[in-house]
Amino acid sequence: MNKPLSLVLILLSLFLGGCSGGVSGTGDGAPAETAADEAPAASDGGSSEGGGAGSLVTPRGIIFDEALNRALVIDPERKAVIAIDLASGTSSIVSDSSTPNATNAFEDPRGIAMDKALSRVVFVVDTGRKAIIAVDLSNGARSVISSNTAPSGQVRFNNPLGIVIDSANSRALVTDSGLHAIVAVDLSTGARTIIGNQ
């Protein structure tokens, strides 16, 4: 084979390899994604297969429970608050649709906050229910503090996502991306007011 022809074949081979992506590239010259780089499936968190009863699937919000040296994590896919022991790494369900029962079950929990003034209670933002739900850490029982139906005649949640507790004023401050605002929620009455927006 003469040199010009062999050079053409080499260049053609390189060109075709680049267009098809080959084993290690894409048509635009960027490296191909490996299985680990690919976007997760619609569940947005993979599978809990092989995990324990309290294993995480889609961990979102997290707080530190100093009294028990554990992390409390919101998992929307499991519709649960899960505790992770920081010494051993073991996990357990604190509250879900069967712990302690199905009353006021989570639909799409996203944020979590603790009120130090209210011992052993956390507050969860549930985007699906458009509500703030209190969780008793001693038994996992849930109660609705504020939702679009209670109390009525208030600012309505649109897409509540994050939460912090303003203990001095006995209120929760909730970020709502649908309202482009922060919503203040009175923890005694559930009343909602917008205190900041764009």
Side-chain angles (χ1 to χ4, degrees):
M1 184 180 297
N2 62 40
K3 288 185 180 178
L5 181 56
S6 62
L7 182 58
V8 169
L9 290 176
I10 290 170
L11 291 175
L12 183 59
S13 173
L14 290 172
F15 175 76
L16 291 176
C19 288
S20 65
V23 174
S24 62
T26 63
D28 60 4
E33 288 184 335
T34 64
D37 296 328
E38 291 175 1
S43 68
D44 192 26
S47 169
S48 60
E49 185 178 347
S55 60
L56 297 171
V57 179
T58 55
R60 295 290 188 197
I62 182 172
I63 57 172
F64 177 50
D65 182 357
E66 187 175 5
L68 296 179
N69 190 37
R70 63 183 183 173
L72 297 174
V73 182
I74 288 294
D75 193 317
E77 178 121 347
R78 303 228 26 205
K79 303 181 191 310
V81 176
I82 298 174
I84 309 294
D85 185 286
L86 297 178
S88 67
T90 58
S91 58
S92 59
I93 299 288
V94 172
S95 184
D96 68 0
S97 60
S98 61
T99 308
N101 52 48
T103 302
N104 296 317
F106 297 123
E107 287 182 19
D108 187 15
R110 292 291 171 147
I112 185 170
M114 183 181 289
D115 187 348
K116 301 260 173 132
L118 297 174
S119 179
R120 315 314 303 149
V121 174
V122 294
F123 296 93
V124 174
V125 173
D126 192 306
T127 304
R129 294 191 63 174
K130 301 187 188 317
I132 306 302
I133 298 173
V135 179
D136 185 329
L137 294 179
S138 68
N139 57 19
R142 297 170 302 279
S143 56
V144 176
I145 298 300
S146 185
S147 72
N148 282 353
T149 57
S152 59
Q154 304 286 309
V155 171
R156 293 173 60 83
F157 289 125
N158 184 300
N159 192 41
L161 294 171
I163 183 171
V164 296
I165 302 300
D166 175 7
S167 297
N169 294 296
S170 187
R171 64 183 179 178
L173 302 176
V174 178
T175 56
D176 191 308
S177 65
L179 295 176
H180 308 288
I182 296 170
V183 179
V185 180
D186 186 300
L187 294 177
S188 300
T189 66
R192 300 175 299 280
T193 55
I194 289 180
I195 61 170
N197 60 11
Q198 295 178 348

